[in-house]
């Protein structure tokens, strides 16, 4: 049995086998590949999140969390966008920072108003390509902050501290916008977590900006 996140990736795999593996027999209706006397079933298994647990922890976020988080990390804008990613080239973080730079450049009225919080965790740090990516992200953030930052406002706040699940869901709950903009992603559960953490009260939920290159787009539409 071979599993993929979304049906499109399953179909792509079957296409690759059909075109590139001599001697393989692909049965698309059954979703099987027969090769060298063995049969492999190929299925899509979209991953989900424990939405009820996330919602409960989000609801239980203490009132003091958000003011303390803002004070500790220097988040001063009236509108807060958030990105939560591994430092992986598939996540499109440098491209996202470039887009934010262009946004502030073209919309100067949002300087001092919109703060972007990048929660990041290192990934495969022993691999040189990933080390370069981490350096590129830090350099890009420094560039944008130097260009637009003021004494009272930092455009991009970088957070690499460990956050408990409760604190992470609290961050989701209190932010106004989540940016999930990978170059290519299998599923990206951050998108689903963000939606699950939003309050039920009308008008209080944040907005999710979701790339159609994330597998979650298939489920969330």
């Amino acid at each position: 049995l071979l599993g993929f996140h979304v049906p499109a990736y399953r179909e792509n795999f079957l296409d690759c086998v059909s075109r590139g593996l001599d001697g393989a027999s692909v049965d698309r209706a059954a979703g099987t590949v027969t090769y060298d006397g063995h049969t492999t079933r190929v299925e899509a298994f979209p991953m989900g999140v424990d939405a009820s647990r996330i919602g409960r922890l989000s609801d239980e976020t203490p009132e003091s969390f958000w003011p303390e988080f803002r004070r500790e990390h220097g988040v001063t804008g009236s509108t807060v966008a958030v990105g939560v990613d591994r430092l992986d080239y598939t996540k499109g973080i440098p491209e996202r920072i470039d887009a934010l730079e262009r946004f502030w450049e073209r919309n100067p009225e949002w300087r001092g108003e919109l703060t972007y919080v990048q929660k990041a965790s290192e990934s495969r740090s022993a691999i040189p390509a990933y080390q370069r990516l981490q350096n590129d992200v830090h350099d890009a953030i420094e560039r944008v902050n130097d260009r637009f930052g003021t004494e009272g406002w930092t455009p991009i706040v970088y957070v690499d501290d460990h956050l408990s699940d409760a604190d992470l869901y609290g961050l989701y709950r209190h932010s106004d916008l989540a940016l999930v903009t990978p170059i290519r992603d299998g599923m990206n559960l951050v998108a689903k977590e963000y939606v699950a953490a939003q309050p039920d009260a009308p008008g209080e939920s944040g907005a999710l900006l979701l790339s159609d290159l994330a597998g979650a787009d298939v489920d969330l539409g």
Side-chain angles (χ1 to χ4, degrees):
L1 174 64
L2 182 61
F4 290 88
H5 282 285
V6 291
Y9 295 166
R10 170 186 178 272
E11 296 303 315
N12 186 63
F13 175 78
L14 294 175
D15 282 343
C16 290
V17 171
S18 179
R19 297 177 184 183
L21 188 59
D22 292 338
S25 175
V26 176
D27 185 333
R28 291 187 175 276
T32 60
V33 174
T34 301
Y35 179 70
D36 195 24
H38 299 279
T39 298
T40 301
R41 186 160 59 95
V42 185
E43 297 287 353
F45 301 104
M47 295 176 64
V49 299
D50 190 342
S52 59
R53 175 178 178 271
I54 293 171
R56 175 175 55 80
L57 290 175
S58 172
D59 286 340
E60 294 173 355
T61 302
E63 292 185 5
S64 60
F65 165 77
W66 189 231
E68 290 176 357
F69 183 92
R70 292 180 66 112
R71 183 169 58 253
E72 178 181 354
H73 296 285
V75 179
T76 58
S78 60
T79 301
V80 178
V82 64
V84 178
D85 308 270
R86 288 184 299 106
L87 285 170
D88 187 292
Y89 65 91
T90 64
K91 304 300 182 180
I93 302 174
E95 291 81 2
R96 187 185 309 161
I97 294 170
D98 289 346
L100 285 163
E101 182 176 22
R102 189 174 305 172
F103 174 79
W104 281 309
E105 178 183 279
R106 296 181 177 180
N107 302 275
E109 69 275 15
W110 281 95
R111 298 175 193 172
E113 298 295 326
L114 172 67
T115 300
Y116 173 64
V117 177
Q118 176 65 65
K119 170 67 180 78
S121 57
E122 292 189 0
S123 176
R124 303 176 177 90
S125 299
I127 300 175
Y130 284 81
Q131 294 173 2
R132 289 194 295 272
L133 172 65
Q134 293 167 22
N135 292 334
D136 289 345
V137 168
H138 292 152
D139 290 346
I141 291 173
E142 185 176 355
R143 180 189 73 240
V144 173
N145 286 344
D146 285 346
R147 182 178 180 188
F148 297 118
T150 65
E151 184 176 342
W153 174 63
T154 301
I156 300 178
V157 174
Y158 185 82
V159 178
D160 58 4
D161 300 339
H162 170 73
L163 296 180
S164 67
D165 285 351
D167 285 351
L168 179 62
Y169 304 147
L171 175 60
Y172 290 153
R173 182 184 184 89
H174 289 284
S175 59
D176 302 289
L177 173 67
L179 303 180
V180 181
T181 58
I183 295 172
R184 173 65 73 181
D185 221 340
M187 174 53 66
N188 197 298
L189 297 181
V190 168
K192 296 185 176 185
E193 290 175 350
Y194 183 80
V195 172
Q198 296 310 300
D200 293 330
E204 293 186 10
S205 295
L208 171 65
L209 181 61
L210 177 62
S211 168
D212 60 4
L213 298 179
D217 181 68
V218 176
D219 291 344
L220 300 180

